Amino acid sequence: MCSEIVKSVCPHDCPSVCPLEVERLGPKRIGKVKGSPANAFTAGIICGKVARYSERIHHGQRLLYPMKRVGKKGSDNFKRITWDEALETVAKNLLRVEREHGAEAVWPFYYAGTMGHVMRDGINRLRHVKGYSGMQGTYCTALSGPGWEAGCGTKRGSDVLEMEKSDLIVIWGLNAVSSQIHLMTHVIKGIRNGAKLVVVDPYQNKTADKAHLHLPLRPGTDGALACAVMHVLFEEGYADKAYLEKYTDLPKEFEEHLKTKTPEWASEITGLAAHTIEAFARLYGSSKKTFLRVGHGMTRSRNGAHNMHAVSCLPAVTGAWQYEGGGALYGQGDLAQLDTTLIEGKDVKNPDVRMLDQSRIGEILTGHEGALKGGPEVKALFIQNTNPVAVAPDSSAVRKGFMRDDLFVCVHEQFMTETAKMADIVLPATMFLEHDDIYTASAHCTLQVAKSVISPAGACKSNHQVICELAKKLGAQHKGFDLSALAIVEETLKKSGYPNVADIIATTGHDLSLPFEEAHFLNGFAHPDGKFRFKPDWSSLGPRGETMPEFPDHWDVIDEVDKEKQFRLITPPSQNFLNSSFSETKTSRIKERCPEALINQRVMRKLGLVEGDLVRVGNELGSVLLNAVSAKNQHEDTVVVEGIWPNSSFLEGRGINTLVSSEPGYPNNGAVFHDTAVWLRAHK
Ligand SMILES: Nc1nc2c(c(=O)[nH]1)N[C@H]1C(S)=C(S)[C@@H](COP(=O)(O)OP(=O)(O)OC[C@H]3O[C@@H](n4cnc5c(=O)[nH]c(N)nc54)[C@H](O)[C@@H]3O)O[C@H]1N2
Ligand SMILES: Nc1nc2c(c(=O)[nH]1)N[C@H]1C(S)=C(S)[C@@H](COP(=O)(O)OP(=O)(O)OC[C@H]3O[C@@H](n4cnc5c(=O)[nH]c(N)nc54)[C@H](O)[C@@H]3O)O[C@H]1N2
Ligand code: SF4
Ligand SMILES: [Mo]
């Protein structure tokens, strides 16, 4: 059989959004997947998971047909039905709930399992037309986004391609080797040209392995470290006074505020030695072209946005923004400014409809009044692209909610996930190589489009098809329900002022990068006065902003250790899973072995644990049992569990999010996945 190479784009929830070259073996079969060399950021490299994509797309356990539940909830007992019966049942139940309890009792629930704008966000068009409850997406960027915007005013920054010119690269709260492999290509280029690498991270992850200096601070204490570093920068003459005067809001007040934030003060809070903090500050201050790459990882705490802002102040103090190879990046998310009116049906949006916090789904489904915002109970869920039973905080409450007999659940999925098992109706979804979409990236500056490469497996339908067909059965009308996904992409591009689909595919993406002065905010930051804000207007960034400290600081609202819970748990991504995805593929599972807790070697000894022993990790929400692994270079009170394994991979069937609280962060909510005080007990 002759094969051909077809262009595509990786849709997974990953900042890299790689352009791909896919080997098409036949109308329904792919072979090898490779990265396209046409993109300067990804440079032809892709992660192992997607290089092995034929394993996922041609997986024997892929969902291929619609099914209805015939056993008890959660029992995994389903029977194959036709698409017509499936969509009729969904429509009948949504109409019944709407009639009996009001439209807000229906909750369309989605996230970024695919990052394609049409497939991911088209569900909002249905919700706006119908007046169903809205969803605030808070798993991921609700803390990091406002934290960055607080100072800079917009979500963009220096281009990572500049790293080859940097003197110093600081990776702060981001495990690039696992969660953003391409960043390392550019870091290594910088190192080859003489740059030093500093990694600020609670544990010695694979990125810290590559660092000249690793600062293993206690989780949730980044604000203290950043303040102490800036204290030294001002005290020892590394602050660029002319830059501060021209580009920042209150430099003198800020300098005064930092007077008491000494390295000794921060040492107590962060667990780092004062001389280490000073050494880092001097290295940062004495290098001109410092590139600071900040990750979401440091923001998944109650004080996460506050900490992100504190860290983002560093290049504004030294004026590193003025130099190529200098400045900072959180993400390039605000570059594209797509007009998504047609995709999301924003033209028919009613702003008075309630927005429910995605991360509080457990509380919402178990009837917490505050979480329900005083509105009706949720009686029907329609879910696409997310697996909340595994990934949302407070898993026990989530499971309890899903088990409710009066809750109707439809899940549109690629696999029989733990969430799909809770459904009344399961619908089979296409994968990205079987549909068309448009993609923006947060790690680089390219807008991309991909057309389907093969025809859908089994009876799979795309999110867009399902939304349109369901809309017809519900009597919901909108122009977007009558257009193909590709026609919506074409119109979105046109409305947004970009080239058309054919041109974007021909050039392997449209370059959105800005001229140097603009990218480095040398024409001003994105606030009305053009100044970087050391003292942000937190209230404008979210309803819970009022109580936040005005200047950067250590804001002690985290789930701190106490006598009973002497450890702080963080749960960062693993290399071979992508959130809950790829836990279904055998090769990823083999590489990740089993759920493990990384524990400081001295603590292991104190608890009488040796590697491979079982340890019980718990708090007031419950406890989980996993393998203990000895770790160096992390604070004694830090415990790390990598990867979102299915609950069923844990010995007692309770996964790591059993322990994570659904209490929201500040100022605009956000899940606190790395902010959990726990106890540890050897399990003999
Ligand atoms: N392989 C793989 N890649 C992924 C994902 C995955 O699951 N697997 N997930 C994707 C998704 S959805 C996202 S949002 C992105 C980013 O996903 P994130 O979860 O934000 O991951 P990172 O940005 O790598 O940040 C994780 C790092 O932050 C560190 N960290 C935790 N708490 C703190 C803290 O208080 N302070 C500091 N300084 N560091 C802290 C952790 O130890 C870890 O090394 O990655 C994406 N890429
Ligand atoms: N403990 C802990 N929990 C976490 C995190 C953490 O760091 N620690 N990270 C959090 C973060 S940042 C995030 S973003 C979430 C993400 O968690 P999830 O939202 O669950 O993310 P994914 O695993 O990327 O995708 C979910 C599902 O989407 C399905 N899917 C993919 N494409 C399509 C499609 O086109 N159509 C349909 N219908 N389905 C599709 C996949 O099969 C997959 O099962 O997890 C959060 N949970
Ligand atoms: S998951 Fe990330 S690194 Fe892997 S191919 Fe997709 S975009 Fe690239
Ligand atoms: Mo995420």
Side-chain angles (χ1 to χ4, degrees), residues 9-20 33-35 42 45-51 53 178-182 432 444 577-578 582:
V9 177
C10 177
H12 283 286
D13 191 359
C14 171
S16 289
V17 193
C18 294
L20 304 176
V33 177
K34 290 189 177 158
T42 62
I45 296 165
I46 56 168
C47 65
K49 308 179 286 295
V50 172
Y53 216 76
S178 285
S179 70
Q180 204 185 129
I181 186 65
H182 306 95
F432 73 106
H444 58 82
F577 296 156
L578 204 132
F582 294 91

Side-chain angles (χ1 to χ4, degrees), residues 41-299:
F41 174 73
T42 62
I45 296 165
I46 56 168
C47 65
K49 308 179 286 295
V50 172
R52 303 186 293 266
Y53 216 76
S54 60
E55 184 189 7
R56 188 167 193 271
I57 198 165
H58 302 310
H59 197 295
Q61 275 155 19
R62 219 184 129 177
L63 292 174
L64 296 175
Y65 306 101
M67 290 188 289
K68 71 172 176 193
R69 180 170 63 80
V70 288
K72 276 193 186 153
K73 282 216 169 190
S75 67
D76 197 7
N77 200 351
F78 289 88
K79 183 177 161 249
R80 181 171 162 182
I81 53 174
T82 62
W83 267 106
D84 197 53
E85 182 183 349
L87 291 177
E88 273 298 324
T89 311
V90 178
K92 197 180 77 196
N93 277 284
L94 300 194
L95 290 168
R96 172 187 56 80
V97 166
E98 181 181 352
R99 201 169 52 242
E100 290 172 7
H101 308 279
E104 285 190 337
V106 178
W107 194 18
F109 193 91
Y110 69 103
Y111 206 58
T114 172
M115 293 281 277
H117 287 267
V118 177
M119 299 300 163
R120 185 187 64 195
D121 303 329
I123 192 171
N124 279 330
R125 193 181 331 116
L126 183 63
R127 107 163 161 85
H128 288 144
V129 173
K130 291 295 297 173
Y132 294 151
S133 277
M135 186 200 77
Q136 187 195 2
T138 53
Y139 287 158
C140 189
T141 53
L143 286 154
S144 51
W148 174 266
E149 281 173 271
C152 292
T154 181
K155 285 177 280 188
R156 55 179 176 80
S158 306
D159 193 327
V160 170
L161 300 182
E162 293 176 23
M163 278 186 176
E164 61 183 350
K165 302 208 169 111
S166 304
D167 301 328
L168 175 70
I169 298 167
V170 182
I171 299 189
W172 197 313
L174 196 173
N175 184 6
V177 170
S178 285
S179 70
Q180 204 185 129
I181 186 65
H182 306 95
L183 181 57
M184 293 313 289
T185 314
H186 302 283
V187 169
I188 286 161
K189 270 192 193 161
I191 291 176
R192 286 210 186 111
N193 292 340
K196 291 264 180 305
L197 172 65
V198 177
V199 167
V200 183
D201 202 286
Y203 78 117
Q204 184 154 358
N205 59 27
K206 291 186 175 124
T207 310
D209 279 343
K210 307 265 182 290
H212 298 96
L213 176 66
H214 168 215
L215 295 146
L217 81 178
R218 300 179 64 243
T221 66
D222 303 84
L225 175 59
C227 284
V229 168
M230 292 187 284
H231 169 97
V232 176
L233 294 175
F234 276 109
E235 288 285 308
E236 299 190 2
Y238 295 118
D240 182 334
K241 295 279 161 93
Y243 179 87
L244 283 162
E245 200 49 51
K246 186 165 176 202
Y247 286 105
T248 69
D249 61 345
L250 297 163
K252 293 201 177 63
E253 287 84 341
F254 188 42
E255 183 176 356
E256 195 53 38
H257 164 77
L258 291 171
K259 285 259 151 64
T260 55
K261 312 293 171 196
T262 62
E264 292 71 26
W265 164 82
S267 173
E268 284 285 307
I269 300 164
T270 60
L272 299 169
H275 65 83
T276 308
I277 299 174
E278 278 159 2
F280 171 40
R282 286 177 193 139
L283 185 59
Y284 191 86
S286 60
S287 319
K288 258 196 158 68
K289 294 178 277 174
T290 54
F291 199 120
L292 172 67
R293 182 65 171 99
V294 289
H296 304 276
M298 74 153 120
T299 69

Side-chain angles (χ1 to χ4, degrees), residues 314-336:
L314 263 71
V317 172
T318 61
W321 283 111
Q322 296 163 103
Y323 313 107
E324 209 180 341
L329 180 67
Y330 151 70
Q332 305 286 22
D334 279 350
L335 274 184

